[in-house]
Amino acid sequence: KNEVEQSPQNLTAQEGEFITINCSYSVGISALHWLQQHPGGGIVSLFMLSSGKKKHGRLIATINIQEKHSSLHITASHPRDSAVYICAVPPNSGGSNYKLTFGKGTLLTVNP
Amino acid sequence: NAGVMQNPRHLVRRRGQEARLRCSPMKGHSHVYWYRQLPEEGLKFMVYLQKENIIDESGMPKERFSAEFPKEGPSILRIQQVVRGDSAAYFCASSRAGGLYEQYFGPGTRLTVT
């Protein structure tokens, strides 16, 4: 089983700040997912990435496969970014890639 | 293009009753995954289905839980004789194919057992 660690667990920021959330995992993988969950709400898939960097609006995700580490950055943070951010990884780089293991999540609060 | 749909969004059941949770995948998606999120815990994989087939149910409790994805209609997660410990948010996700394809999540069903 792939062990997933996210940091920080909780993050409070002022509107406009640059945010970084980190995710480390124990077993080499082909790709990693970043998800967003609003309190009491559904889950939105933000990124699936296997190498390098992806950007969508103010969100940027990077991954270093060799170091087994990924980061999610939010530029010019806004109160509506307040949510739990979750990284998820498959068990390894081979089969059963669908069987995701999820981090405990990072609760981000952006104050106006 | 409608996303993944789940219903009901909230379900209240008394202990011993049955709960049926439905998931309609995105158009064009034939692979469905169910996850459970217990209070104060992370998401956990339960089962992976394709149309008419259970591919992997290794995350499902051995008793009282079953899942199906018929040729026509939504995928159903069925919990018989519910207990308080079944209270959780149940999410389904769908993908176009199996393996390492992006999974799109539904809004979840919040089950409360009283």
Side-chain angles (χ1 to χ4, degrees):
Chain A
K1 186 185 168 183
N2 214 334
E3 302 292 332
V4 182
E5 296 254 355
Q6 280 188 241
S7 63
Q9 278 190 306
N10 293 282
L11 182 55
T12 300
Q14 288 301 121
E15 184 172 355
E17 285 186 4
F18 181 82
I19 304 291
T20 295
I21 298 170
N22 297 299
C23 175
S24 297
Y25 49 92
S26 58
V27 179
I29 57 171
S30 304
L32 173 147
H33 303 251
W34 279 103
L35 311 168
Q36 179 194 57
Q37 184 176 27
H38 285 280
I43 294 171
V44 175
S45 177
L46 298 175
F47 296 102
M48 186 181 82
L49 69 165
S50 54
S51 66
K53 180 163 72 172
K54 277 191 177 180
K55 186 174 187 291
H56 182 68
R58 294 180 294 105
L59 299 176
I60 303 166
T62 63
I63 188 168
N64 186 319
I65 293 287
Q66 286 74 31
E67 293 190 4
K68 301 187 183 67
H69 181 269
S70 175
S71 293
L72 178 68
H73 306 284
I74 305 175
T75 61
S77 58
H78 190 275
R80 65 173 174 265
D81 296 327
S82 298
V84 176
Y85 292 84
I86 303 166
C87 76
V89 300
N92 49 50
S93 58
S96 303
N97 284 323
Y98 54 84
K99 203 167 174 179
L100 300 177
T101 297
F102 298 81
K104 288 189 163 68
T106 294
L107 175 59
L108 171 65
T109 305
V110 181
N111 294 317
Chain B
N1 189 12
V4 178
M5 297 173 67
Q6 288 187 250
N7 66 79
R9 294 292 305 276
H10 298 273
L11 182 61
V12 180
R13 284 287 177 266
R14 289 202 179 101
R15 277 180 300 170
Q17 289 186 319
E18 179 179 286
R20 280 186 178 236
L21 288 60
R22 294 174 188 78
C23 170
S24 297
M26 281 181 70
K27 189 176 178 181
H29 287 191
S30 58
H31 297 251
V32 165
Y33 316 83
W34 284 94
Y35 298 94
R36 179 165 67 173
Q37 187 176 41
L38 291 165
E40 309 302 322
E41 290 190 24
L43 288 149
K44 297 272 195 312
F45 168 82
M46 296 182 77
V47 62
Y48 164 34
L49 309 106
Q50 291 181 39
K51 285 281 186 184
E52 299 185 279
N53 285 307
I54 297 174
I55 306 301
D56 184 338
E57 56 182 349
S58 59
M60 290 266 275
K62 294 282 184 280
E63 296 175 352
R64 303 188 297 108
F65 284 71
S66 62
E68 62 177 10
F69 189 13
K71 189 176 179 183
E72 302 290 337
S75 175
I76 307 278
L77 179 67
R78 183 179 175 212
I79 311 172
Q80 294 178 291
Q81 298 175 311
V82 295
V83 301
R84 288 226 172 96
D86 297 332
S87 295
Y90 293 82
F91 291 93
C92 83
S94 73
S95 66
R96 186 173 299 279
L100 202 61
Y101 277 80
E102 191 155 7
Q103 296 182 24
Y104 294 83
F105 284 78
T109 294
R110 275 153 184 82
L111 172 65
T112 303
V113 179
T114 61

